[in-house]
Amino acid sequence: MPTPHSRFFMTQQQTWSQRFESALHPAIARFNASISFDIELIEYDLTGSQAHAKMLAHTGIISQEEGEQLVTGLEQIRQEYRQRQFQPGIDAEDVHFAVERRLTEIVGDVGKKLHTARSRNDQVGTDTRLYLRDQIYQIRRQLREFQLVLLDIAEQNIETLIPGYTHLQRAQPLSLAHHLLAYFEMAQRDWERLADVYRRVNISPLGCGALAGTTFPIDRHYTAQLLEFDSVYANSLDGVSDRDFAIEFLSAASLIMVHLSRLSEEIILWASEEFRFITLKDSCATGSSIMPQKKNPDVPELVRGKTGRVFGHLQAMLVMMKGLPLAYNKDLQEDKEGLFDGVNTVKACLEAMTILLREGLEFRSQRLNEAVAEDFSNATDVADYLAARGVPFREAYNLVGKVVKTSIAAGKLLKDLTLDEWQQIHPAFAADIYEAISPRTVVSARNSYGGTGFAQVNKAILAARAQIKDEVS
Ligand code: ARG
């Protein structure tokens, strides 16, 4: 008697073995299916399957002609997919079944040979690694773009000064270039970290089979070579159940987001009326629906906001893995949505931040140069001045603390003290104290390696340029 699920019954009889007598409940079929999101892997699935088919022919497991038919049929599916003619639905369960079924429609019964000596377990592992490899390549290129725009702005602002903070309290003035180069360095580590992750993504699990390998005389190194993997998993159980590579990626992605989010937070502060260090341009800011005076820093706010979801995907993947017995478990199907979203989020944020920096904001250099002259951020330099003239630093520090206190009470800045007043504080002060504590001198003098002194910053820019020129990809 026909059941309400007979449509599913029919399709699933094609994919699963004959041991199943009744159809999946439609809601369970939907629950089980991953096609709605793993369709993202289709091009990698096709490429992986083509390599597998070539290997089957190469080793004589199938004939050369059969191998060619499979490869051509798979290529046709690629074209159909690109032209939106191939849009498998939920009844296909996942992208692997969808492709295999369509292949059999195209090439006939030989299509049923494709899955010889393979399992969806090593197949999905292969697809995910091929996907991630591509994405890492793209993200690293985006990081380079981001670094380049930071360098360009830095180069134009070596002598623009900006207050430097610790505890969000004015600390010591900085070269704006130095501040921006800090983000360049973070991005450089992100770029290197991804190269390292890539090394462990680029290992082939294809041929691990369901979990134990296969009885067929396959050649795993042959498929690995065709797919440009660096090596193959040495243990079949590990190969089908490892998701370390995805966790490592999400961890590296989380750090990229941390860095973008910190920069975002600074941009949001700088754009506020309280700081007024930058102006947001209309192309990258929005207005309020009710308060006509407002211009909102939506881009950095969204980047800061999206950071949490990438951390969430990392956490979800770690928790998903921690209790899994070897080898494959269906839990592993849950690795995809978070990974895809992590990839898409990082890419979108890097793109938006690069545009924002390149054309969406302007540093108000006059205001910045004035800002550093309005505070006590040269107090360390007064202490250093005395220390350089033989006063023990701690003693000098205490002395300057008192000067700051009395100056604040008198409504004065350090530059407003008369030479007489300086010399009453300590006889070592001379007329050159004014020059010594001017913001420009203060910045320029921090010439220790990696410091904000202009000479150091110049060197850092040259080194950065040389570095990214040598290491393009
Ligand atoms: N859709 C599955 C996944 O993403 C493919 C692997 C299925 N393997 C299995 N033994 N059920 O993980």
Side-chain angles (χ1 to χ4, degrees):
M1 200 170 75
T3 69
H5 319 323
S6 51
R7 199 169 68 84
F8 286 92
F9 182 80
M10 289 311 294
T11 55
Q12 306 226 314
Q13 282 299 302
Q14 285 168 13
T15 44
W16 296 342
S17 78
Q18 297 295 318
R19 83 169 255 193
F20 286 87
E21 280 172 9
S22 68
L24 261 185
H25 187 287
I28 299 301
R30 271 198 305 279
F31 185 67
N32 206 36
S34 52
I35 187 79
S36 62
F37 50 86
D38 66 16
I39 190 72
E40 176 96 27
L41 295 175
I42 186 162
E43 297 251 359
Y44 306 101
D45 196 74
L46 293 165
T47 305
S49 290
Q50 285 175 320
H52 181 68
K54 285 180 191 164
M55 184 279 293
L56 291 177
H58 173 77
T59 51
I61 297 170
I62 61 174
S63 71
Q64 284 296 333
E65 198 195 329
E66 287 172 329
E68 278 158 29
Q69 279 177 283
L70 293 178
V71 171
T72 314
L74 289 162
E75 201 50 36
Q76 183 177 327
I77 299 176
R78 195 189 299 278
Q79 298 316 322
E80 289 177 359
Y81 176 73
R82 288 186 183 170
Q83 287 155 17
R84 298 181 199 283
Q85 289 159 0
F86 179 53
Q87 292 173 329
I90 208 101
D91 53 326
E93 186 179 324
D94 63 21
V95 67
H96 323 295
F97 275 146
V99 166
E100 192 181 328
R101 191 198 294 177
R102 179 71 193 125
L103 181 67
T104 306
E105 282 169 11
I106 295 172
V107 300
D109 273 356
V110 65
K112 295 180 186 166
K113 292 198 172 182
L114 175 67
H115 213 52
T116 314
R118 176 177 86 165
S119 150
R120 277 186 301 159
N121 298 349
D122 55 345
Q123 189 180 353
V124 73
T126 306
D127 295 2
T128 312
R129 285 168 181 82
L130 292 176
Y131 160 85
L132 197 52
R133 219 168 64 166
D134 240 18
Q135 301 302 326
I136 289 176
Y137 179 77
Q138 289 173 35
I139 294 171
R140 291 183 85 221
R141 288 188 66 146
Q142 285 191 299
L143 278 168
R144 278 295 190 240
E145 290 293 314
F146 174 66
Q147 287 182 298
L148 271 175
V149 72
L150 283 168
L151 261 184
D152 288 344
I153 307 175
E155 210 161 47
Q156 291 153 19
N157 287 285
I158 297 171
E159 298 215 4
T160 307
L161 305 184
I162 185 171
Y165 298 81
T166 62
H167 313 268
L168 202 57
Q169 304 287 321
R170 294 267 180 113
Q172 290 167 352
L174 300 168
S175 148
L176 173 56
H178 191 58
H179 195 120
L180 296 172
L181 287 176
Y183 287 101
F184 175 94
E185 294 294 328
M186 295 176 224
Q188 179 62 23
R189 289 193 296 277
D190 291 332
W191 188 84
E192 286 166 14
R193 213 177 334 267
L194 280 180
D196 194 46
V197 173
Y198 188 97
R199 286 175 40 224
R200 281 174 296 279
V201 171
N202 204 25
I203 303 173
S204 174
L206 193 57
C208 288
L211 74 167
T214 171
T215 54
F216 289 93
I218 59 168
D219 186 344
R220 291 188 57 204
H221 294 93
Y222 186 78
T223 45
Q225 208 180 353
L226 286 178
L227 296 170
E228 293 177 8
F229 281 113
D230 292 330
S231 58
V232 301
Y233 272 82
N235 179 295
S236 62
L237 288 168
D238 183 36
V240 289
S241 58
D242 170 34
R243 294 295 181 273
D244 304 9
F245 71 95
I247 292 175
E248 274 194 65
F249 169 79
L250 285 172
S251 161
S254 294
L255 283 170
I256 296 175
M257 293 305 296
V258 169
H259 298 151
L260 292 181
S261 186
R262 294 186 74 182
L263 177 58
S264 295
E265 173 64 14
E266 297 210 289
I267 292 172
I268 293 161
L269 286 173
W270 292 342
S272 71
E273 195 58 33
E274 284 67 20
F275 280 75
R276 292 187 291 119
F277 289 175
I278 58 171
T279 322
L280 292 171
K281 299 216 191 139
D282 293 357
S283 62
C284 293
T286 62
S288 153
S289 60
I290 170 170
M291 296 164 282
Q293 83 284 10
K294 288 193 69 189
K295 210 184 214 189
N296 296 329
D298 297 46
V299 171
E301 287 176 302
L302 274 174
V303 170
R304 188 179 59 183
K306 285 175 189 291
T307 299
R309 61 201 272 176
V310 180
F311 296 177
H313 297 319
L314 170 63
Q315 181 70 5
M317 187 92 78
L318 284 166
V319 176
M320 186 263 286
M321 290 302 293
K322 74 177 265 294
L324 295 187
L326 293 180
Y328 179 87
N329 299 267
K330 188 76 169 190
D331 313 46
L332 292 175
Q333 182 165 288
E334 287 292 305
D335 65 355
K336 285 169 208 59
E337 286 162 290
L339 182 63
F340 297 164
D341 188 68
V343 163
N344 294 337
T345 304
V346 169
K347 284 165 77 177
C349 290
L350 272 171
E351 182 185 27
M353 284 298 278
T354 304
I355 294 172
L356 178 69
L357 288 174
R358 192 187 298 126
E359 56 194 80
L361 59 80
E362 205 168 338
F363 283 95
R364 303 175 61 175
S365 37
Q366 200 188 333
R367 153 82 191 138
L368 281 164
N369 286 327
E370 283 164 12
V372 291
E374 292 163 359
D375 58 29
F376 287 89
S377 61
N378 49 3
T380 320
D381 300 86
V382 180
D384 285 352
Y385 179 97
L386 287 180
R389 284 158 184 76
V391 182
F393 179 80
R394 186 56 61 209
E395 206 179 293
Y397 167 90
N398 286 330
L399 214 54
V400 180
K402 277 188 216 146
V403 183
V404 170
K405 189 168 147 191
T406 50
S407 302
I408 290 173
K412 286 179 170 181
L413 291 168
L414 294 175
K415 64 176 180 192
D416 302 327
L417 299 185
T418 64
L419 186 56
D420 231 31
E421 287 171 312
W422 279 119
Q423 285 176 338
Q424 274 166 31
I425 297 159
H426 199 285
F429 284 116
D432 60 356
I433 179 65
Y434 297 101
E435 178 54 26
I437 63 171
S438 87
R440 200 152 295 278
T441 314
V442 159
V443 173
S444 173
R446 294 222 151 71
N447 216 4
S448 52
Y449 181 83
T452 192
F454 301 131
Q456 284 299 319
V457 174
N458 261 308
K459 278 190 203 159
I461 289 178
L462 288 177
R465 283 242 183 260
Q467 188 170 32
I468 62 175
K469 211 169 115 210
D470 292 348
E471 305 167 3
V472 192
S473 57

